[in-house]
Amino acid sequence: MTKHGESAGGPGPTVFVLFGATGDLARRLVLPAFYRLAREGLLPGQWLLVGNGRGDMAHEDFRARVRGALAEFGPEPEPREWDAFAERVFFAGSGFSADSPGSLLDVLGKSRGALGGDPQLVHYLAVPPAAFAGLTKALGQHELARGARVVYEKPFGTSGDDFRELDRVVHSVLDEQQVYRIDHFLGKEATQDLHVLRFANESFAAFWNREHVESVQIDVPETLDVTDRAQFYDATGAVLDMLVTHLFQVAAEVAMEPPASLGSLDLQAAREEVISCFRPLDPAEVVLGQFDGYRDVPGVSPRSSQNTFVAARLWIDSDRWRGVPFYLRTGKRMAATAQRVSLVLREPPGPLSGQLPRDANLLSLSLAGDGEIDLSLVAKKPGPALDLDVAHAAIPLGALSGADPLPAYVRLIHDVLLGDRSLFTRPDGLAAVWEVAEPLLSRPPQVSSYVPGSWGPPQARELIEPGRWLLGQ
């Protein structure tokens, strides 16, 4: 089960504890990512995986659930590979709280004994945000926090006040260097390639500012429904699930100043510094929507006013970006699925001013899959007349020689195992994010309906006028 191979300085013996191990997030993303790490040879030489949940379950039954998750979401294991993996997988039931540890302490005691010495503990909280504080306190109460690394799923809090209380609880138990607040958009290959695109290519670095960029679009429409996670989604919505987490973080990746290095401290500092320049959202510059039929989804309140769509105009008051609108859009049950960052360049002055075709001078990056860089340039059509057209060039990153891309969750869990916090969020940046979102959360605009399979409420088109959304318009 080796592809990448393990370096001599790789992680030591590790016990990976997955809270919420029988939930949807673990099934769809975390367990497949962990198996992929094993398959690629990126786990420590000695490791064990312990799932935790409220119910009781035999180890063999949990292993069957893991096998089922891999059959549905991949990668499909070969029998011999699966046997070697499954024998290291265990389950500790009856929940875990400060008052009652369930069977987790017993299972961990046996696991530590099997590995010998003092293995690294990695706790992954694949649970709703409301459970973060209780589990964190329980880790401290039962002496499972010392030296451990703890991964928190997003959103880290559901409001500014909630964030501050959660941050207080977390730091009463853990040092900041033990905390890994995951945002899988930061682990995407194309998101990371933004750094190289900007900082290693003068042709791009030269126009990465307000003098040359007219606007920026960060567009993440989804055709997906919310059926598999309706209860979570109805308590969260598109604003908390996507806007104040993924889209704000991607905006920071685009807008940051060049860091001193791409090391974890410098990269995090540059990202958090530019987030402090985000102007608080004006609710008048935000469109919220809910797709028709959302209230009929099992698990959703029949009177729910939760948003399943959000489009927002964000302003970044830094010297580099002052006056340049960042348009952010995401939603469920939309016409297409995409994850795209686009820089719309200004029309250059000169003899062709006012004559350029539509959608010329555009740099676009697809964040989906292995990522792709797309350029739209004005060119003359070969022939006797001066006929202008838009030429397109695409660079699929996965096609580069020797490319060996990892999915975002695989990359980020591997970074946790290595102790690399470069692609994880910091509390100062999150505090600024909640300040940016506060006007929207306290005075949200009315939620408008939209037809499933469309591009959202018509007000979203009006938000971006006289420009237009590059996807779907």
Side-chain angles (χ1 to χ4, degrees):
M1 297 173 69
T2 58
K3 183 177 179 182
H4 286 267
E6 184 178 330
S7 67
T14 301
V15 179
F16 190 89
V17 183
L18 178 57
F19 295 94
T22 60
D24 179 65
L25 177 65
R27 180 174 62 92
R28 288 185 299 110
L29 293 169
V30 183
L31 289 169
F34 197 84
Y35 183 78
R36 175 76 179 267
L37 286 169
R39 190 169 179 172
E40 300 281 352
L42 291 171
L43 290 180
Q46 293 180 283
W47 63 268
L48 294 174
L49 168 64
V50 178
N52 175 260
R54 288 193 296 265
D56 287 320
M57 189 182 304
H59 301 315
E60 293 78 9
D61 293 335
F62 179 58
R63 292 164 185 163
R65 289 179 71 112
V66 176
R67 183 75 184 263
L70 298 179
E72 185 174 1
F73 298 102
E76 179 70 32
E78 297 178 3
R80 187 170 59 181
E81 285 183 343
W82 168 252
D83 291 342
F85 181 86
E87 67 183 10
R88 304 190 192 204
V89 175
F90 302 90
F91 187 77
S94 301
F96 182 70
S97 67
D99 295 331
S100 174
S103 61
L104 182 58
L105 297 182
D106 292 337
V107 174
L108 284 181
K110 295 176 183 177
S111 299
R112 285 167 148 169
L115 294 182
D118 187 19
Q120 174 71 58
L121 285 178
V122 174
H123 303 296
Y124 195 114
L125 275 59
V127 297
F132 290 169
L135 285 174
T136 302
K137 292 175 183 177
L139 292 175
Q141 176 68 29
H142 299 295
E143 299 183 358
L144 296 179
R146 182 181 60 83
R149 297 168 186 162
V150 184
V151 184
Y152 293 88
E153 268 290 342
K154 55 87 183 174
F156 193 80
T158 56
S159 69
D161 289 342
D162 188 47
F163 159 74
R164 286 185 285 273
E165 175 59 20
L166 176 58
D167 192 55
R168 184 193 66 77
V169 170
V170 167
H171 287 115
S172 72
V173 176
L174 303 165
D175 294 332
E176 174 60 23
Q177 294 302 309
Q178 296 177 264
V179 181
Y180 294 75
R181 303 171 192 83
I182 200 167
D183 186 323
H184 75 268
F185 267 56
L186 294 182
K188 288 178 172 291
E189 291 284 356
T191 305
Q192 297 169 59
D193 203 65
L194 272 169
H195 307 149
V196 177
L197 186 70
R198 284 186 63 187
F199 308 135
N201 297 282
E202 177 61 21
S203 56
F204 294 113
F207 69 67
W208 213 275
N209 56 60
R210 63 192 179 96
E211 181 179 352
H212 301 287
V213 177
E214 177 185 275
S215 62
V216 177
Q217 294 186 24
I218 301 174
D219 208 355
V220 187
E222 297 180 282
T223 59
L224 289 174
D225 204 334
V226 299
T227 303
D228 291 340
R229 54 201 292 257
Q231 191 171 7
F232 165 83
Y233 198 86
D234 200 41
T236 308
V239 170
L240 295 182
D241 187 43
M242 293 292 293
L243 180 68
V244 301
T245 52
H246 302 323
L247 273 60
F248 278 2
Q249 293 297 328
V250 174
E253 290 286 316
V254 174
M256 72 166 69
E257 291 300 304
S261 74
L262 295 185
S264 61
L265 294 179
D266 290 332
L267 191 58
Q268 282 186 324
R271 191 163 54 235
E272 311 312 336
E273 181 180 355
V274 78
I275 289 176
S276 70
C277 296
F278 286 13
R279 190 186 304 174
L281 290 175
D282 181 349
E285 296 185 306
V286 178
V287 176
L288 299 180
Q290 182 187 97
F291 67 77
D292 294 336
Y294 171 74
R295 297 174 183 175
D296 298 327
V297 175
V300 171
S301 168
R303 294 178 296 278
S304 175
S305 61
Q306 187 58 272
N307 55 82
T308 64
F309 171 96
V310 58
R313 185 189 294 127
L314 172 69
W315 301 98
I316 300 177
D317 292 328
S318 67
D319 291 341
R320 182 180 295 272
W321 295 109
R322 188 172 287 107
V324 176
F326 279 59
Y327 292 104
L328 316 180
R329 181 176 69 166
T330 186
K332 299 292 187 183
R333 295 296 305 276
M334 294 183 68
T337 293
Q339 299 171 0
R340 188 163 289 274
V341 175
S342 301
L343 277 69
V344 180
L345 303 181
R346 299 186 187 278
E347 183 177 287
L352 295 177
S353 179
Q355 303 176 49
L356 301 185
R358 199 176 192 181
D359 295 340
N361 291 300
L362 177 68
L363 168 66
S364 187
L365 296 94
S366 172
L367 305 185
D370 301 334
E372 182 173 288
I373 301 170
D374 297 303
L375 289 171
S376 297
L377 306 172
V378 179
K380 175 189 174 296
K381 288 184 180 179
L386 183 62
D387 291 333
L388 304 180
D389 203 353
V390 180
H392 302 281
I395 306 172
L397 299 177
L400 297 178
S401 177
D404 193 9
L406 292 174
Y409 267 88
V410 179
R411 165 64 188 264
L412 291 173
I413 293 174
H414 184 240
D415 284 353
V416 175
L417 295 172
L418 295 176
D420 184 347
R421 300 175 69 243
S422 304
L423 300 177
F424 297 84
T425 57
R426 285 194 338 197
D428 51 348
L430 290 176
V433 160
W434 288 114
E435 290 182 10
V436 175
E438 192 281 330
L440 174 60
L441 297 177
S442 61
R443 306 187 308 278
Q446 183 177 350
V447 177
S448 302
S449 64
Y450 63 97
V451 177
S454 71
W455 288 97
Q459 294 93 324
R461 292 194 297 273
E462 300 168 7
L463 177 71
I464 201 170
E465 291 176 347
R468 69 188 191 96
W469 295 102
L470 298 170
L471 290 176
Q473 305 295 326

